[in-house]
């Protein structure tokens, strides 16, 4: 029999579409198992500032389709200090919370690992970040929605790019990972993509532009991951303008647009599944792991592996990005 009677749940780091569906699933699964759930507001800051509220199944109705997070989020600096974590632990105990579900990315899991080492708190993580940069899950919560948002934007940008014979550098999110850039570029039919995982992509792009620069503009859309080593779309534009002034260029930074919006069907299903299995994991005594999905099977990965192990880009998609250009 599990000792856990009250699970605290929070969202932390950058919000991601599907976080609400995950919260909903965890609350309803816990309810079925007669476990209470306490919502912790504003991520780790909510633990430190004792921002708690009990969540019943009815409290999470009508949120499956909403973006953002009903629990709000933060990137807590206070939790990075030993004093902050001590306060968080005291508040958690005073509230009767026995275990935690943390929905977030690599930073969230780093915090969770330290918290567990210091206070032996059982924690299970759900991968909530649009970046898809976590090992131990094929996809993270919010990634599919962010890609769809980026593809929709690229489609619209292409209309005006083609009409004016302009080249657009479209910058997408991904502070250290090129997943959104690669998937959105291939799906949006972009002519080239610059990824933090590849160091030879800029010279390749320059060679491509040289070949295509005679007469007609051939490259309408170049997708740049914000974390690319060139420094982003504006820097790439400067380099192109210096080498090939014949191209008329424009930069569009999609930015936080990609973090909002109603989660796609795929994101809702993934979020729900992981929220449900996060509760199961806690009740089965599986702690300090991230719940992920690999080849449609639920997998549990230790926090340090989820945040640190390399998750390579799909080589077939990389090949498509290089092959399917004109
Ligand atoms: O981690 C997700 C993410 O959206 C990154 O892609 C981006 O670099 C970062 O968050 C932006 O964070 P913030 O909203 O705190 O500026």
């Amino acid at each position: 029999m599990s000792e856990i009677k009250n699970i605290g749940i929070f969202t932390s780091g950058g919000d991601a579409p599907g976080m609400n569906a995950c919260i909903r699933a965890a609350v309803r699964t816990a309810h079925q198992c007669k476990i209470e759930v306490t919502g912790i507001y504003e991520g780790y800051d909510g633990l430190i500032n004792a921002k708690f509220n009990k969540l019943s199944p009815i409290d999470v109705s009508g949120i499956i389709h909403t973006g953002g997070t009903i629990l709000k989020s933060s990137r807590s600096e206070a939790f990075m200090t030993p004093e902050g974590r001590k306060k968080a632990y005291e508040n958690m105990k005073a509230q009767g919370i026995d275990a935690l579900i943390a929905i977030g990315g690599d930073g969230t899991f780093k915090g969770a690992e330290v918290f567990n080492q210091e206070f032996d708190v059982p924690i299970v993580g759900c991968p909530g970040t649009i970046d898809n940069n976590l090992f131990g899950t094929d996809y993270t919560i919010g990634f599919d929605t962010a890609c769809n948002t980026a593809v929709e934007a690229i489609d619209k940008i292409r209309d005006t790019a083609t009409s004016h014979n302009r080249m657009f550098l479209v910058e997408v999110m991904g502070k250290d990972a090129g997943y959104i850039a690669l998937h959105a570029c291939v799906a949006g039919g972009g002519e080239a993509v610059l990824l933090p995982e590849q160091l030879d992509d800029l010279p390749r792009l320059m060679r491509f532009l040289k070949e295509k620069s005679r007469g007609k503009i051939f490259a309408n859309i170049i997708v740049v991951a914000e974390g690319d080593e060139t420094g982003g779309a504006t820097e790439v534009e400067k380099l192109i303008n210096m080498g090939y002034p014949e191209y008329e260029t424009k930069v569009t930074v999609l930015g936080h647009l990609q973090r909002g919006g109603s989660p796609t069907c795929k994101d809702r299903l993934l979020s729900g599944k992981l929220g449900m299995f996060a509760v199961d994991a806690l009740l089965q005594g599986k702690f300090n792991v991230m719940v992920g999905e690999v080849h449609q099977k639920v997998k549990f990965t230790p926090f340090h592996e989820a945040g640190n192990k390399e998750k390579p880009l799909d080589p077939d998609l990389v090949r498509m990005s290089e092959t399917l250009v004109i």
Side-chain angles (χ1 to χ4, degrees):
M1 262 300 267
S2 165
E3 298 289 293
I4 294 172
K5 301 272 174 289
N6 183 350
I7 296 174
I9 186 165
F10 63 96
T11 48
S12 160
D15 60 334
M19 280 181 161
N20 285 334
C22 187
I23 296 165
R24 174 182 179 272
V27 169
R28 293 191 171 179
T29 307
H31 181 77
Q32 295 266 329
C33 304
K34 312 226 173 329
I35 310 281
E36 278 190 322
V37 178
T38 302
I40 301 163
Y41 291 77
E42 297 170 12
Y44 286 116
D45 279 349
L47 272 177
I48 295 169
N49 302 321
K51 290 196 174 174
F52 302 124
N53 209 3
K54 284 269 152 60
L55 291 176
S56 71
I58 202 78
D59 293 324
V60 291
S61 68
I63 64 168
I64 195 166
H65 63 297
T66 57
T69 157
I70 59 158
L71 294 178
K72 300 186 178 283
S73 192
S74 67
R75 298 191 192 276
S76 175
E77 287 185 14
F79 197 75
M80 290 179 195
T81 65
E83 304 77 45
R85 292 192 292 274
K86 184 165 174 285
K87 186 92 192 107
Y89 181 69
E90 287 165 1
N91 286 338
M92 183 186 142
K93 284 286 124 185
Q95 187 70 22
I97 297 171
D98 317 300
L100 294 172
I101 294 178
I103 309 170
D106 51 350
T108 304
F109 297 160
K110 255 181 219 138
E113 208 177 1
V114 176
F115 199 43
N116 169 266
Q117 281 159 6
E118 289 177 348
F119 299 102
D120 202 20
V121 176
I123 314 179
V124 166
C126 291
T129 165
I130 63 166
D131 285 359
N132 198 32
N133 58 344
L134 293 169
F135 177 85
T137 191
D138 288 339
Y139 298 109
T140 55
I141 293 167
F143 171 68
D144 187 60
T145 308
C147 285
N148 279 293
T149 301
V151 169
E152 200 183 325
I154 288 170
D155 290 349
K156 289 180 177 164
I157 290 168
R158 187 182 291 286
D159 289 344
T160 177
T162 311
S163 302
H164 286 263
N165 271 351
R166 284 172 174 158
M167 179 196 296
F168 272 75
L169 295 127
V170 183
E171 184 176 299
V172 299
M173 273 189 168
K175 60 179 181 297
D176 55 13
Y179 288 97
I180 299 175
L182 179 62
H183 288 240
C185 180
V186 172
E191 277 73 25
V193 61
L194 297 184
L195 306 166
E197 291 85 351
Q198 291 184 337
L199 296 179
D200 63 340
D201 46 16
L202 185 66
R204 202 157 4 99
L205 171 64
M206 290 302 179
R207 282 198 301 276
F208 174 75
L209 294 181
K210 189 174 177 191
E211 277 169 33
K212 301 288 179 192
S213 72
R214 285 172 234 109
K216 201 169 162 245
I217 304 289
F218 280 88
N220 289 142
I221 306 284
I222 294 168
V223 181
V224 184
E226 68 168 333
D228 186 69
E229 71 289 348
T230 45
T234 307
E235 295 308 311
V236 178
E237 183 190 37
K238 282 185 200 152
L239 296 171
I240 293 174
N241 291 162
M242 273 194 299
Y244 302 100
E246 61 270 35
Y247 288 112
E248 187 186 350
T249 56
K250 295 275 175 187
V251 168
T252 303
V253 178
L254 297 186
H256 288 78
L257 255 184
Q258 297 156 97
R259 286 243 294 260
S262 180
T264 58
C265 175
K266 210 169 159 185
D267 265 331
R268 294 181 200 189
L269 298 181
L270 176 71
S271 308
K273 191 187 262 191
L274 300 185
M276 187 170 79
F277 275 91
V279 174
D280 286 0
L282 282 174
L283 299 187
Q284 290 162 11
K286 289 196 185 86
F287 305 145
N288 303 316
V289 289
M290 179 196 82
V291 193
E293 191 189 47
V294 177
H295 299 141
Q296 294 184 329
K297 291 260 174 313
V298 169
K299 287 253 166 166
F300 301 96
T301 304
F303 283 138
H304 63 272
E305 281 186 28
N308 295 321
K309 264 199 169 176
E310 198 201 340
K311 180 165 87 172
L313 297 167
D314 177 346
D316 295 339
L317 285 189
V318 172
R319 188 174 152 222
M320 282 166 80
S321 75
E322 293 165 358
T323 311
L324 303 185
V325 293
I326 28 168

